[in-house]
Amino acid sequence: MRLISSSRALLVSAILAMTTGAQAGVSPDQAARLGKDLTPFGSEKAGNGKDIPAWSGGITEPPASYTTEGMHHPNPFPDDKPVLTITAQNAGQYKKNLSNGVQAMFESYPDSFNMLVYPTRRTHSMPEWVYENIRKNAVNASLTSGGNGIEGAFGGVPFPILHGNSEEKAKQAIWNHITRWRGIFV
């Protein structure tokens, strides 16, 4: 049996630690995109110039019809009218945008099922302190060994900018969903 020299063993250990350790967040330059070309929570800020508008801050005040704390949230856009009605007769032209389940509904109920399509709005917002936490999380958060946990994150999504290989990105997306901000009482 051959023994490895202590300096060689130290070098091998250091290389293994660098390649198997969880990578902390994105670079500060990447994180600086949050609130600029990305929303504070990591989605694209710009619209597509056609049917998806740019994000402009979301809903930050309750609608006037929200009169009692704790009441069911009212429709913030009660005057909106559908821009399109999809029926069994015209569903074929929208097929690429319809899930298999919705397509099956049109096939099963061709005379009664329809889908009203309203203007797209980007209403999501969070308190500024959550945005600040997300900015910090972007550079500090990492997956724990095996991706079964996170560290270095607090009070907002840990990975507003997904990074790493596809498996790591998938785990980051799941953790973003699990830890999303849902109000102060959740």
Side-chain angles (χ1 to χ4, degrees), residues 125-145:
S125 67
M126 295 180 250
E128 185 56 42
W129 63 268
V130 177
Y131 295 154
E132 181 59 34
N133 287 341
I134 292 171
R135 284 189 284 277
K136 291 175 187 173
N137 292 346
V139 294
N140 296 320
S142 60
L143 295 168
T144 60
S145 180

Side-chain angles (χ1 to χ4, degrees), residues 43-97:
S43 57
E44 290 183 24
K45 202 173 192 179
N48 66 0
K50 175 170 93 159
D51 51 356
I52 300 173
W55 181 79
S56 60
I59 295 176
T60 57
E61 296 292 326
S65 57
Y66 186 77
T67 57
T68 307
E69 189 171 319
M71 72 181 276
H72 182 75
H73 290 186
N75 180 354
F77 309 107
D79 299 327
D80 275 5
K81 303 288 183 245
V83 295
L84 172 67
T85 300
I86 303 174
T87 65
Q89 290 70 40
N90 67 1
Q93 70 189 81
Y94 304 105
K95 187 174 183 173
K96 69 177 184 174
N97 296 322

Side-chain angles (χ1 to χ4, degrees), residues 153-166:
F154 177 79
V157 294
F159 307 106
I161 302 171
L162 303 180
H163 59 281
N165 63 41
S166 58

Side-chain angles (χ1 to χ4, degrees), residues 111-128:
D111 297 326
S112 60
F113 183 74
N114 64 63
M115 178 182 280
L116 301 177
V117 179
Y118 287 85
T120 300
R121 306 234 188 218
R122 296 182 69 190
T123 60
H124 183 62
S125 67
M126 295 180 250
E128 185 56 42

Side-chain angles (χ1 to χ4, degrees), residues 1 62 81 107 150 170:
M1 175 159 50
K81 303 288 183 245
E107 291 170 16
I150 52 174

